[in-house]
Amino acid sequence: MNYLESYHLTDLEIYCKNKCVRIVIEHHNEDKNEIIYYRGLYGGYLYGKKLTNSLKKRKNRLTNIELYNHLKVYKNWKTKSRGEQDALYDIMNYLS
C-alpha cells in the first residue's frame, strides 16, 4: 500500500487554496442566483484545505483510496449545495 506523504497533502492543500483564490477573484460580481453556487464551491475547496491541514497535524498514515472514500462519503451525506458537491468531486478527481 502506498501511503500519502506530507508533500502530497501539501500539494492538495495548495490546489484547494488556489481554487479558493480563483473563485474570489473571478466570481465576486455574480448575480444573486449564481453567487450561492460559488459560495458552495468556495466552501467545498475550503473543506479540502481544512481536511489536509488536520491530517498533517495528526500525522496519521492514510492511503489515497482512504482519503478518496472519506470525501465521497462526505459529499454524499453532508453537502447541501451543488457547488460544494462539485468542489468535492473536483478534489476527488485530483486525488485519482
Side-chain angles (χ1 to χ4, degrees), residues 31-42:
D31 63 345
K32 292 196 179 208
N33 294 332
E34 289 294 315
I35 198 74
I36 295 169
Y37 172 78
Y38 289 110
R39 284 180 183 166
L41 201 63
Y42 183 84

Side-chain angles (χ1 to χ4, degrees), residues 51-80:
L51 179 64
T52 55
N53 275 336
S54 68
L55 289 173
K56 286 194 299 188
K57 286 180 184 174
R58 282 191 214 158
K59 297 183 181 178
N60 288 350
R61 295 179 62 131
L62 79 152
T63 63
N64 193 14
I65 296 168
E66 291 171 337
L67 184 57
Y68 183 91
N69 286 335
H70 169 77
L71 289 171
K72 184 170 132 182
V73 168
Y74 184 82
K75 181 179 84 66
N76 290 334
W77 291 97
K78 301 287 183 179
T79 57
K80 295 181 174 100

Side-chain angles (χ1 to χ4, degrees), residues 16 18-19 21 23 30 44 49 51 64 66 80 82 85 92 94:
C16 292
N18 289 338
K19 288 287 193 171
V21 169
I23 289 168
E30 295 292 331
K49 185 178 174 294
L51 179 64
N64 193 14
E66 291 171 337
K80 295 181 174 100
R82 191 188 68 174
Q85 290 176 352
M92 290 165 48
Y94 183 77

